[in-house]
Amino acid sequence: MATNFAARANQALMQSSPKWRLAIWLLLMLSASLWSLQLWQNGARIQSNILAMLPHLQQDKLTERALNQVEATLANQVYIAIIAKDETTAIAAAKIMMQKLAADLVATGKQGALTDIHSADMRLGEALGQYYFPYRFKLLTAPQAEALATQNMGSLIEAATAQLYNAFGYANSNLLAQDPLLLFPANLLALAPSSKVRANQGILLANQGDKVAAIVIAKGRESAFNPNAQLAQITQLNQALDSVKQRYPDVTMLKAGALFHALAATQTAKSEISILGLASLLGVIALVWLAFRSVMPLLLAIVTISSGLLLAVTFTLSVFGELHLLTLVFGTSLIGIAIDYSFHFYCERLSDTDRSAQATVAYIFPTVTLAFVTSALAYVGIGLAPFPGMQQVAIFCAAGLLGAYLTLILAYPQLAGSRLPSGSRPLALAGKYLVNLTQLSNRLTTPLGVGCFVLVIFFCCVAGLTQLKVDDDIRHLQQSPASVTEPENQLRQLLSGGTDNQFLLVRAASEEALLQQLERVSPILEAAIAKQELGNYVSLSRYLPSHQRQNTAYHLQGEIYQTQIDTVLTNLGLDENLKPELQASYLAAKDQYIAPADFFKLEAGKQLAPLWLAPNGNATDYDALNDGGASTEHGAIVLLGGISNIDALKARFTSTANVHLIDKVADISAVMGYYRLLTLKLLALALVIALLLFSLNFGIKKATIVVAVPALAALLTLATLGLIGSPLSLFHALALILVFGIGIDYSLFFASAKNHGKAVMMAVFMSACSTLLAFGLLAFSQTQAIHYFGLTLSLGIGFTFLLSPLILTTQKS
């Protein structure tokens, strides 16, 4: 059936006019160009976010909302620490920087790339005081509650007396008249989490050795992984930093935030695209010139590559609406693959100079078509992975191969009609290589030779595979340079560990149950801090006590205002006429409660609102911050910082119901491990399907040999990875799919060769060289994912090139 289809296709190719085919190809390329241009004008963009490559986790609605909230809150924050020799200089420098950032916004009259520029807001404490004071009868610190529970009124009276006679105390007549034991100020101070930072003149300060660091915080208006936003944000930031350095040249800066990691990734990707792509292109040009010594093959090679890249970009933008920078880095390898069709065409022309270009295309059409289908299917296999970035790579490269294939079929019959100079020398070298290989094959086909060959391969595979380790941790796939990570680590220390990507998600069936659950979580986290497993945490339990806790505080304070009020007023020397008003205020507060809906209307509350996940459908102001699908479950996020022992922290919550430590990095790593195994299984399935498919054309014996070549190449690649200490990851597995897809082409060409073994050998040699140029260069990438991909393909294609000519020698034998 396949043979009849190939014969009919060949006949159609011979009968069709080369000029009409060229016209169709030109119309196709023009349409692709216009459509691609339209996509760019309609908002298609370059994406540089490494997270965009990662798989989408299958999470329940509440967990998904929590992940989105944390990412939206933390993703675009920028932290700058200005380190000076004294506090005065640090404060002045920080104020200059904030003024410069604000002045840029006023001068341009536009929305700045960086917004929400602040340090310490001194007004928040006053605003919180005004909000909480009416609820003072529902608030008690732990020591205050213990004193009242044990009826130790004397300790509270002593503490209040000490404040009365303290020159720096916070007691005043107005406060004493409403809170005679001065309980409220201690509760207000308890709202501030323990931290190394302090505030002065509206600036956050922290000590760094004998110097002082002033901390300025801003937020990117757009994603830090958007290249245009990156440029705008870093420009605005650098202008402000330059102003500070001009006024205070001795200060030093520490910078932290996703912006600086994204900038490093973008710069690395752009550098690698230009360097690796140019080197690959120059290598291909040199190969073509050395082999054919003619301008036309060079020009057609460039046309083939260009048409492939054009269709690759067009298809990718049409499907995804954006083009990832890492897709372009991976896509540089397309240069080495797309040119293979040109190599096979011209090598066949060299072997039979009397054959026309149209006849040559018709001659290689069946094999090239089968090779294109298998390679495209290999890329489709990569697209089955749940990685948007890898799906882009699959579409990009498959479409690029389609462009090169169509160029060969439609454009070459007309454009490649000129004769070539004598190619006797390259063909002679290929023939000599085959002769030597045949001699080696004859020696190996003896019983002793076969035994030694199998034994060597077996021991190599065993030695390497037993050393092979697995690493699915996504943190190892892209590592920012030390110039980014070291300042960030120093700044995190200043901020008591900062905030990590891991967080706690607390669930409950009702608002009150959720608040009570948060209160039970806090002592566990305090114990973790005491054991140095955790640096700090941010929980709403500090700001939103449950009704149960408020009622407990209220009843305990009844000891003051209903039983001991006379004793309190007498010991503190206060007017007894305050008693009726104090008791009336206490009784009036019985049904007044601190509630989330009211708290989140405050400016401070708005900053903490993303930590609250109210059920959808409740008509409250803060629900506007919560999006996602319908849910009746209440949830709250507890941010964690300075995690030093994630396993110990997880163990603390294994038996705590409805409290889960969300670790997106670990979850994605687990997904990567799952798909790594699935990809290897798909590879095994692809080998079986290929064996059945090729058996229809070549018979079972020859088909087994054809499939055995890429299969053995894959095993040797894995063994080599084990011997050189490269851990196995999903990207290695995906590369092995391509080793099969590309390597099977070599096997097919040798299996289909008749009287032109030298031409096939020369074409496969050039094809392997161009592919090794492309993927070998990717192995030098600074991005681990690309490095793994390139290294695995380089090894796999190298082994396939060494093994595939044996098919030709076995046919002759």
Side-chain angles (χ1 to χ4, degrees), residues 462-541:
V462 170
L465 293 175
T466 53
Q467 295 293 319
L468 190 62
K469 297 179 180 179
V470 172
D471 184 6
D472 297 311
D473 194 336
I474 64 167
R475 287 169 292 196
H476 299 160
L477 296 182
Q478 179 166 343
Q479 298 173 345
S480 296
S483 59
V484 174
T485 57
E486 289 179 4
E488 182 172 82
N489 291 334
Q490 294 180 46
L491 209 157
R492 286 172 67 87
Q493 291 301 316
L494 291 177
L495 295 173
S496 303
T499 302
D500 293 318
N501 292 323
Q502 296 89 351
F503 61 91
L504 291 179
L505 176 59
V506 183
R507 303 167 181 265
S510 67
E511 187 174 276
E512 174 64 12
L514 178 60
L515 293 173
Q516 292 182 25
Q517 184 71 285
L518 285 171
E519 290 168 355
R520 289 190 288 270
V521 166
S522 293
I524 301 175
L525 293 175
E526 293 292 345
I529 292 175
K531 291 289 186 180
Q532 296 184 340
E533 300 165 4
L534 181 68
N536 61 82
Y537 68 94
V538 178
S539 174
L540 287 170
S541 65

Side-chain angles (χ1 to χ4, degrees), residues 412-576:
Y412 273 51
Q414 178 66 29
L415 299 180
S418 59
R419 289 183 174 273
L420 292 173
S422 174
S424 57
R425 179 171 175 77
L427 289 173
L429 291 174
K432 187 176 181 180
Y433 177 81
L434 283 176
V435 169
N436 294 330
L437 195 64
T438 302
Q439 293 175 354
L440 176 63
S441 176
N442 291 335
R443 294 173 185 172
L444 290 177
T445 52
T446 63
L448 180 61
V450 171
C452 290
F453 179 75
V454 172
L455 201 60
V456 169
I457 295 295
F458 175 77
F459 277 112
C460 286
C461 290
V462 170
L465 293 175
T466 53
Q467 295 293 319
L468 190 62
K469 297 179 180 179
V470 172
D471 184 6
D472 297 311
D473 194 336
I474 64 167
R475 287 169 292 196
H476 299 160
L477 296 182
Q478 179 166 343
Q479 298 173 345
S480 296
S483 59
V484 174
T485 57
E486 289 179 4
E488 182 172 82
N489 291 334
Q490 294 180 46
L491 209 157
R492 286 172 67 87
Q493 291 301 316
L494 291 177
L495 295 173
S496 303
T499 302
D500 293 318
N501 292 323
Q502 296 89 351
F503 61 91
L504 291 179
L505 176 59
V506 183
R507 303 167 181 265
S510 67
E511 187 174 276
E512 174 64 12
L514 178 60
L515 293 173
Q516 292 182 25
Q517 184 71 285
L518 285 171
E519 290 168 355
R520 289 190 288 270
V521 166
S522 293
I524 301 175
L525 293 175
E526 293 292 345
I529 292 175
K531 291 289 186 180
Q532 296 184 340
E533 300 165 4
L534 181 68
N536 61 82
Y537 68 94
V538 178
S539 174
L540 287 170
S541 65
R542 194 184 303 273
Y543 305 93
L544 295 172
S546 65
H547 282 203
Q548 181 186 61
R549 183 174 163 188
Q550 292 181 63
N551 286 333
T552 300
Y554 181 79
H555 290 303
L556 286 173
Q557 290 199 50
E559 180 72 14
I560 301 172
Y561 297 104
Q562 292 184 321
T563 307
Q564 301 287 339
I565 186 62
D566 292 325
T567 303
V568 169
L569 294 176
T570 300
N571 280 275
L572 294 175
L574 299 176
D575 189 349
E576 293 183 359

Side-chain angles (χ1 to χ4, degrees), residues 212-278:
V212 179
I215 299 161
V216 176
I217 305 169
K219 186 177 181 66
R221 192 175 296 278
E222 297 182 55
S223 171
F225 297 100
N226 180 322
N228 293 330
Q230 283 176 22
L231 180 60
Q233 289 174 26
I234 200 64
T235 300
Q236 185 178 350
L237 191 60
N238 285 339
Q239 288 174 352
L241 292 175
D242 290 342
S243 297
V244 173
K245 291 293 287 185
Q246 288 174 7
R247 181 68 178 83
Y248 299 100
D250 295 332
V251 301
T252 56
M253 312 283 186
L254 295 177
K255 296 180 285 188
L259 170 64
F260 308 105
H261 292 274
L263 274 171
T266 301
Q267 291 168 359
T268 298
K270 287 182 177 178
S271 174
E272 290 179 354
I273 289 170
S274 58
I275 295 174
L276 301 183
L278 180 61

